[in-house]
Amino acid sequence: AQTVTQSQPEMSVQEAETVTLSCTYDTSESDYYLFWYKQPPSRQMILVIRQEAYKQQNATENRFSVNFQKAAKSFSLKISDSQLGDAAMYFCAYRLSGAGTYKYIFGTGTRLKVLA
Amino acid sequence: DSGVTQTPKHLITATGQRVTLRCSPRSGDLSVYWYQQSLDQGLQFLIQYYNGEERAKGNILERFSAQQFPDLHSELNLSSLELGDSALYFCASSVEGTGGYEQYFGPGTRLTVT
């Protein structure tokens, strides 16, 4: 069975600094997608970034980038130039390819605090 | 704005009652997922529908049921409510297939059972 592990329940970062959130997953499949979602205090779930497993290039979205290591089954999120608005719970998620067939597997989340 | 709408935003009801939560997916999205999130907890997957058919079930109680209608909106029915059912209920939609697998979440329905 596929699993997603976020081993850091909580992280802190100084404003303007860089922080990396860890995520590992377990799968025997080769065609899948990985995501990071952000849940701020409003509790809205917001898609931050996605990565297709078949792509070797790491995804980037403005200040957010991932380090995708397929062989190691690792998918970390790097937040550069951290801002107060980045304070949130971050969830890593995995999904197999296949329309209407599989569910998403979410990690337990990492709470990020940004210190002014 | 994700494009996924959920009604109502807030719901307060008593134990033993029944409620219906409604979700309208983004235009073009065929898949709808329901999740439950208790305070300071992770997401608990409840159920998935794809183009009107149930495709996957998670930890959904027998007191809960859902359906997806021909216009692709979905409803989650919660009956014989207990205090422990108080939570934030999310609906998410995804186009899936060649259109991508990103899930977009609605704002959630906050259910309080008293």
Side-chain angles (χ1 to χ4, degrees), chain A residues 31-33 35 37 39 41-47 49-50 52 89 91 93 95-109 111, chain B residues 2 31 33 35 37-43 45 48 50 55-58 88 90 94-97 99-108 110:
Chain A
D31 190 8
Y32 53 87
Y33 292 74
F35 307 91
Y37 284 88
Q39 188 177 39
S42 67
R43 299 191 76 182
Q44 171 74 52
M45 291 285 289
I46 303 165
L47 176 67
I49 201 165
R50 81 166 192 183
E52 296 90 334
M89 184 74 98
F91 293 97
R95 192 198 188 281
L96 278 173
S97 177
T101 307
Y102 303 103
K103 62 183 181 181
Y104 293 76
I105 311 296
F106 282 84
T108 51
R111 186 175 302 281
Chain B
S2 67
S31 259
Y33 297 75
Y35 296 89
Q37 187 181 39
S38 301
L39 193 62
D40 287 336
Q41 298 293 313
L43 289 168
F45 167 68
Q48 175 204 8
Y50 180 79
R55 289 300 183 95
K57 261 187 174 178
L88 188 56
F90 284 110
S94 175
V95 63
E96 305 197 355
Y101 289 92
E102 300 90 297
Q103 246 186 353
Y104 291 91
F105 285 77
R110 189 179 301 276

Side-chain angles (χ1 to χ4, degrees), chain A residues 1-16:
Chain A
Q2 292 93 19
T3 57
V4 174
T5 301
Q6 293 180 251
S7 58
Q8 306 153 317
E10 191 170 293
M11 295 278 287
S12 295
V13 63
Q14 286 292 140
E15 203 176 358

